[in-house]
Amino acid sequence: MKRNIMTLCMLILGMANVLAQGAFQEYIQCQTDKDFYLSGERLWFRLWSVNEKNQPQQGSRIAYVELVGTEVNDARCMVELKDASAQGVLDLPFTLPSGRYQLRAYTRNMQNLGEEAFYSKEIAVLNTLRYEEGKDQVSLRNGENPVTLPTQGNLAVTTDKSTYASREKVNIVLGSLPQVTRVSVSVARQDGYRFAQLGGISPQPLRDLGIEPEVESQLVTGTYRSATGVPATHANLSFLSPAIHYYPGEVSDGKVVFRTPLLSGVETLYTGVDAGGSIELESPYVSPRLIQLPTLEIAASEESSLVERSLGLQASRHMGTDSLKRRITPVEGLHKYRMTRHYDMDDYKRFNSFKETFTEYVKECSTTQMNGKSYVTMFDEFTSRQNDGNTLVLLDGVAVMNHEDLLNYNPRLCKYMDIYYGHYLFGDQVYVGILNVRTIEGKADRFRLPANTQIQAYAGPQTATTGLLVCGDEALVPLPQNLPDVRHTLYWNPGTDSTTLQCLTSDLKGTFVVRVEGIAPDGEKLEGTTTFVVE
């Protein structure tokens, strides 16, 4: 029995080492709510992480999704992979040129397989608000649209009727699903473009590219540029938050790597180095540009429906009538620290300087002089003696390396001070205690950052949340009659195991497609479609 336990432990450790070294293969499958979009619409998607046999497989924590064309654009995002799947939304800019694009999805680990292993799917985009010669790759042709509707597939999908009126309930029934299988379901109007189903994967041999996968943590990388020629030995990363979010960086040969938890909901990062210079964060996206794509052809017969759809898009953005709205809840409290004392500065008399306020009221720490500069130090929790170790000082989560910058700060801008006793290890740096000061606005307002600290824009990964779907009771609540219901996508559920679903038609007329896709535990692709008409 003891030998079996030891063997199991060795296998687990071995698997952990394999994952950490990137010596494992993973691929991505993806479904979108439709394949033809207008610039300004939202592209809803569901990802599956699979192995070379197309079986769901847990591996990387983060997947990257990009809309790739002949021009550089900002239609990209990262999502959290949880239980071998992820869901998200890609906002298509109103300035996105018309044309045919490739939707690509991949992980850092998949970059070791090469771009040919990335998931790729063709997406059509039409900009109905402007046309720019040379950028918009679209042409109008006479005649009817020869688009063929999708076939049924291997999963039965039916509706209770074939024809519906506006704002009428639609009952959808799916065939039996394999055990522990969740499928994504979309209901959208068919507007002049074919539907692409789940594709096959192309297994590729591993290459020794040295790209570390994101299995345990999220990796934020950057380039260090020295201003004095002295190489940096320590770097740090933090962001605005009431909680403590401070991470060390690994500096080597001008490159910096920060290993962080999932940075969802984060929009601004603060980076700093111990030596003079700066850190420029690198984009985590591959961002390839395609040299040429076929021109998008739109049939003249589609003009009236596309004008209707464009007006609906503008109405939904200005009036808030589209029920498919993104609601991403940021993750709070990535770490739990033992707070020793909490100070609400409104309970105390305000002094003219933060140093006076600090020394007068905060009994757990004091200031000391070293090489002509003032530093904040903590008292020992048990002996009440002043510690010699370095204290980590934060202002709204931003690391303050020069403590005099905080001691000279305006105390009237401060709201709270939190004291944390104990020893804290960040990389190779040990701090004795933490002083976390929070301002009224929580934005480090009017604080002059040190020269070696930079503010950098950052969009963290979207997280799995039920706010990314419209289903159940929410999908069946009609809008007031005096408001137009211009939903083009009537229903989107990125993951369900139910075989009975319901949605509500909108004011748009035409043929609507119900599309269901998923992957069974044995790797079988599950696909099923049906259509109905709204008159």
Side-chain angles (χ1 to χ4, degrees):
M1 179 68 179
K2 184 176 180 180
R3 177 176 296 179
N4 292 337
I5 294 176
M6 292 181 63
T7 302
L8 179 61
C9 292
M10 292 295 292
L11 289 173
I12 294 174
L13 290 174
M15 178 59 68
N17 290 332
V18 168
L19 293 177
Q21 295 170 7
F24 70 103
Q25 290 177 301
E26 63 180 344
Y27 301 88
I28 295 292
Q29 290 278 20
C30 175
Q31 183 200 355
T32 57
D33 63 317
K34 46 200 174 194
D35 301 306
F36 180 33
Y37 298 85
L38 302 186
S39 299
E41 287 186 333
R42 292 187 172 108
L43 184 156
W44 302 83
F45 63 86
R46 164 77 182 274
L47 301 182
W48 290 270
S49 174
V50 299
N51 59 19
E52 64 275 10
K53 297 181 180 179
N54 206 52
Q55 299 167 330
Q57 168 188 270
Q58 296 191 52
S60 297
R61 292 194 64 192
I62 298 175
Y64 300 88
V65 179
E66 296 187 75
L67 196 65
V68 182
T70 56
E71 301 289 333
V72 176
N73 67 78
D74 295 324
R76 60 176 68 94
C77 69
M78 60 181 81
V79 292
E80 175 192 15
L81 283 165
K82 190 174 183 180
D83 297 328
S85 68
Q87 57 193 29
V89 58
L90 197 63
D91 282 304
L92 305 182
F94 277 100
T95 57
L96 194 64
S98 299
R100 292 162 69 170
Y101 291 81
Q102 284 187 7
L103 183 71
R104 293 191 178 183
Y106 56 91
T107 64
R108 275 181 60 94
N109 184 60
M110 288 174 63
Q111 295 180 41
N112 290 307
L113 303 177
E115 291 187 22
E116 57 269 26
F118 293 2
Y119 172 84
S120 180
K121 171 184 179 179
E122 186 175 299
I123 294 291
V125 178
L126 179 66
N127 194 316
T128 58
L129 301 179
R130 67 114 178 93
Y131 176 81
E132 186 174 348
E133 189 71 33
K135 286 189 176 181
D136 290 88
Q137 304 296 318
V138 61
S139 64
L140 188 68
R141 57 178 171 76
N142 296 323
E144 294 294 324
N145 195 352
V147 172
T148 57
L149 293 174
T151 57
Q152 173 64 61
N154 59 357
L155 183 64
V157 181
T158 59
T159 57
D160 58 335
K161 295 196 301 183
S162 60
T163 303
Y164 298 86
S166 298
R167 307 196 183 201
E168 186 178 354
K169 184 186 297 183
V170 179
N171 294 293
I172 304 169
V173 179
L174 311 183
S176 61
L177 298 174
Q179 192 175 10
V180 298
T181 297
R182 303 179 73 88
V183 294
S184 59
V185 182
S186 70
V187 181
R189 192 171 74 174
Q190 172 69 33
D191 278 354
Y193 205 69
R194 70 178 185 275
F195 278 74
Q197 306 289 357
L198 279 175
I201 60 174
S202 176
Q204 302 292 328
L206 281 169
R207 305 172 185 176
D208 187 16
L209 300 181
I211 300 175
E212 183 179 352
E214 293 171 304
V215 177
E216 296 291 338
S217 59
Q218 181 176 351
L219 302 181
V220 179
T221 61
T223 302
Y224 168 67
R225 291 182 173 83
S226 174
T228 61
V230 178
T233 56
H234 301 297
N236 62 74
L237 177 149
S238 57
F239 56 89
L240 295 175
S241 172
I244 297 174
H245 302 289
Y246 176 82
Y247 311 102
E250 302 170 5
V251 185
S252 176
D253 298 327
K255 295 292 184 180
V256 183
V257 178
F258 299 99
R259 304 178 189 278
T260 72
L262 212 62
L263 298 179
S264 58
V266 179
E267 297 180 352
T268 304
L269 295 179
Y270 292 77
T271 58
V273 288
D274 59 341
S278 63
I279 295 175
E280 181 180 348
L281 295 183
E282 299 171 337
S283 171
Y285 300 95
V286 174
S287 299
R289 291 177 61 185
L290 303 178
I291 298 176
Q292 188 175 5
L293 282 170
T295 299
L296 173 63
E297 293 186 347
I298 301 295
S301 59
E302 296 285 336
E303 183 177 359
S304 60
S305 63
L306 291 174
V307 170
E308 178 188 43
R309 182 173 170 184
S310 177
L311 292 174
L313 168 63
Q314 296 172 63
S316 67
R317 286 300 180 97
H318 289 287
M319 300 175 62
T321 57
D322 190 348
S323 61
L324 282 175
K325 291 182 180 179
R326 176 172 55 177
R327 295 184 302 279
I328 298 175
T329 304
V331 175
E332 296 293 342
L334 297 179
H335 293 292
K336 292 183 179 180
Y337 296 86
R338 183 169 61 89
M339 184 189 299
T340 305
R341 182 72 184 275
H342 171 76
Y343 289 89
D344 187 335
M345 302 310 298
D346 290 340
D347 297 337
Y348 300 90
K349 175 184 176 181
R350 299 284 186 169
F351 288 92
N352 292 326
S353 72
F354 183 85
K355 187 173 184 179
E356 289 179 279
T357 305
F358 177 73
T359 55
E360 181 68 23
Y361 299 128
V362 182
K363 306 301 181 183
E364 291 79 12
C365 47
S366 181
T367 59
T368 186
Q369 291 286 324
M370 185 183 302
N371 299 325
K373 288 187 176 182
S374 296
Y375 290 89
V376 175
T377 58
M378 289 281 181
F379 290 110
D380 187 270
E381 183 177 6
F382 303 103
T383 65
S384 298
R385 294 180 180 178
Q386 198 172 38
N387 277 308
D388 296 330
N390 188 19
T391 299
L392 177 60
V393 175
L394 304 171
L395 179 67
D396 287 336
V398 179
V400 181
M401 297 290 99
N402 186 352
H403 295 182
E404 287 187 336
D405 292 336
L406 178 65
L407 296 175
N408 294 327
Y409 189 61
N410 186 351
R412 291 177 174 82
L413 299 176
C414 301
K415 176 62 176 174
Y416 303 113
M417 284 191 292
D418 299 327
I419 307 297
Y420 299 81
Y421 271 149
H423 289 70
Y424 299 91
L425 178 65
F426 296 94
D428 59 353
Q429 294 291 295
V430 178
Y431 293 93
V432 182
I434 300 174
L435 170 64
N436 187 25
V437 180
R438 289 184 278 167
T439 64
I440 297 174
E441 298 294 331
K443 299 178 180 178
D445 46 328
R446 303 186 196 177
F447 182 70
R448 185 175 181 180
L449 293 172
N452 61 349
T453 300
Q454 302 87 45
I455 306 176
Q456 312 209 32
Y458 182 83
Q462 301 173 11
T463 56
T465 166
T466 54
L468 289 176
L469 57 88
V470 168
C471 61
D473 295 337
E474 185 180 356
L476 301 176
V477 177
L479 289 170
Q481 289 296 328
N482 62 334
L483 291 179
D485 188 346
V486 291
R487 291 174 298 128
H488 186 269
T489 296
L490 303 182
Y491 184 89
W492 168 249
N493 193 326
T496 180
D497 56 3
S498 176
T499 57
T500 57
L501 310 169
Q502 292 180 323
C503 69
L504 199 67
T505 62
S506 64
D507 294 334
L508 299 185
K509 316 295 184 182
T511 300
F512 286 78
V513 178
V514 182
R515 181 164 52 153
V516 183
E517 290 187 313
I519 299 175
D522 61 359
E524 180 187 11
K525 291 186 294 183
L526 303 175
E527 301 171 341
T529 59
T530 191
T531 62
F532 61 84
V533 176
V534 177
E535 295 181 341

